[in-house]
Amino acid sequence: MARPSKAPVVTADSVKAPTTANEKPKIIGAVRRIVSEIAFAAPPEFVPAQPPAEGPPVEVPAPEVPAPEPPGLEEPAPEEPPVEEPAPEEPPVEEPAPEEPPVEEPPAEEPPVEEPAPEEPPVEEPAPEEPPVEEPAPEEPPVEEPAPEEPAPEEPSPEPPPPAPLFASGLESPEFNGWHLQALPGRVTLSSTDPFQGTANARFEVREGDVEPETGSNRAEVSGPTFNEGQDIYVRDAIRVPSANTFEGSWQIIQQLHETDWGGSPGIAVFLEANRGLKIVAGDGSPSFWQGPVLQPNRWYDLVYRVNLSQNSAVGFVEVWLDGVRQTVAGGGTRVYGKTIQTAHTYLKAGIYRGSSSNGTSVVEHDNIVVGTSLASVMGG
């Protein structure tokens, strides 16, 4: 088998666009011959196109290439002698079209990456609707109303009266009603000279050598009501020491709570000392409850003492007021504890009772003796 001849080299310069309508059939025939040769020839060597001479670029339209026909179907036309053709007219030079920007091919599609959904901004809930603000009604000029009548001030309710005292005596009766008298005749009398209260007061006197027949002692007293252990009582006694008092001695009692069926000293006693000092102590001198002032002569002193009657020294106590002023008692406070009664019962005595060796004349006046269960009950008497 004969080696096929080398196929003609086809370049861009070998194909020229037809210049006239008469040349088109010739070109078509030439193209068909070339196509036939190509079909039976060795693959052509590709010769790269030579760059055209410098100058403005000429656009050459690509020739229409008909589809190749299978061999043997059409006999090639006999070669005609070459006809000298006039030089082809050069196609008019077309102004180059403005360069279009290169079209970038889209990159190969990659599997879509699921991006996290963008966070939606938080939905602000609408603020609760505020109730419509009512426009204030236009202010009307104030109508002056007459000032309301103020109610008459209520009278303060009267304070309840103080409780009635347990015992009260003005010592104004010559018979000394309510008392038991223990004195020599003429030693206990009434005085109308400036009494503490009322029209008169009682005057007690004991001289040297006086012996009261009932008790055989140096005394002039009156005895009154009886009280019991456990009672909490207030005793009031107005006391005045006249300038006629010349007492000299170791002890002198001017008021006492003396126990019944008891031969010893009283549980509570008010002493008037030789210098007119006033004090409250147990009858035998211990315990001492209160040391008072030295009394001025011919002046009334309003003495009140509270005593809780008890044989138990942790229960019994004494408090004292003088002329309405609460006193500081033994121990520095306003209340002092101690044994205040020797037996279950005690009774009140007022006047003068002194030691048998005493000298001089004892003179003491008492007025408005009251016993009650509260300070108010004795101060209102």
Side-chain angles (χ1 to χ4, degrees), residues 7-372:
V9 176
V10 181
T11 65
D13 293 334
S14 62
V15 178
K16 294 182 181 180
T19 58
T20 63
N22 295 329
E23 293 177 351
K24 188 175 181 181
K26 293 179 182 180
I27 293 172
I28 293 172
V31 170
R32 285 180 178 172
R33 285 193 304 271
I34 294 170
V35 169
S36 298
E37 291 176 2
I38 290 172
F40 294 98
E45 292 181 6
F46 178 75
V47 178
Q50 295 297 323
E54 290 185 6
V58 178
E59 287 187 4
V60 179
E64 292 182 9
V65 180
E69 296 181 6
L73 295 179
E74 186 174 329
E75 290 291 332
E79 294 184 6
E80 295 179 2
V83 178
E84 290 184 5
E85 296 180 2
E89 295 179 3
E90 291 185 3
V93 178
E94 294 183 3
E95 293 292 329
E99 290 184 4
E100 295 183 0
V103 178
E104 294 183 1
E105 294 189 2
E109 291 187 4
E110 295 182 0
V113 178
E114 292 188 5
E115 295 184 0
E119 292 185 3
E120 296 183 358
V123 179
E124 293 185 2
E125 297 199 1
E129 293 185 3
E130 296 184 358
V133 178
E134 294 185 1
E135 293 288 332
E139 292 186 1
E140 296 182 359
V143 178
E144 291 187 2
E145 296 185 0
E149 294 183 3
E150 295 184 359
E154 293 184 1
E155 293 290 333
S157 13
E159 293 184 3
L166 301 176
F167 175 81
S169 174
L171 298 171
E172 295 181 349
S173 167
E175 294 80 19
F176 296 101
N177 297 328
W179 296 97
H180 174 66
L181 183 60
Q182 295 173 316
L184 292 174
R187 296 295 191 260
V188 180
T189 59
L190 293 180
S191 171
S192 59
T193 304
D194 192 21
F196 178 78
Q197 182 173 298
T199 59
N201 60 268
R203 182 181 186 276
F204 298 84
E205 181 179 335
V206 175
R207 301 174 184 175
E208 290 182 23
D210 283 352
V211 177
E212 189 275 313
E214 184 178 333
T215 61
S217 56
N218 202 202
R219 78 174 68 220
E221 289 183 308
V222 290
S223 300
T226 299
F227 306 99
N228 305 316
E229 182 176 10
Q231 282 188 277
D232 185 0
I233 60 174
Y234 292 74
V235 181
R236 182 184 186 187
D237 187 2
I239 302 167
R240 179 168 65 182
V241 181
S243 56
N245 176 68
T246 59
F247 164 75
E248 292 289 342
S250 57
W251 60 269
Q252 176 179 240
I253 295 174
I254 60 175
Q255 191 205 84
Q256 60 180 305
L257 287 171
H258 196 287
E259 290 78 6
T260 59
D261 304 323
W262 176 254
S265 299
I268 288 287
V270 179
F271 283 77
L272 180 65
E273 299 175 289
N275 66 347
R276 295 190 180 90
L278 196 65
K279 65 180 180 180
I280 300 176
V281 297
D284 58 3
S286 180
S288 175
F289 298 108
W290 172 67
Q291 181 65 56
V294 173
L295 305 185
Q296 298 176 13
N298 304 317
R299 177 189 182 282
W300 284 108
Y301 289 88
D302 189 9
L303 174 67
V304 178
Y305 62 91
R306 178 187 182 186
V307 54
N308 187 31
L309 298 170
S310 177
Q311 298 182 60
N312 186 340
S313 60
V315 176
F317 63 81
V318 173
E319 299 173 359
V320 182
W321 290 259
L322 185 64
D323 293 334
V325 178
R326 193 164 189 175
Q327 301 293 295
T328 300
V329 295
T334 57
R335 175 183 293 184
V336 56
Y337 285 86
K339 186 177 182 179
T340 54
I341 192 171
Q342 305 293 344
T343 65
H345 310 285
T346 188
Y347 59 95
L348 178 64
K349 301 184 78 174
I352 297 172
Y353 171 47
R354 69 183 194 176
S356 57
S357 62
S358 300
N359 298 317
T361 300
S362 297
V363 182
V364 176
E365 294 178 336
H366 293 269
D367 196 3
N368 193 41
I369 297 177
V370 186
V371 181

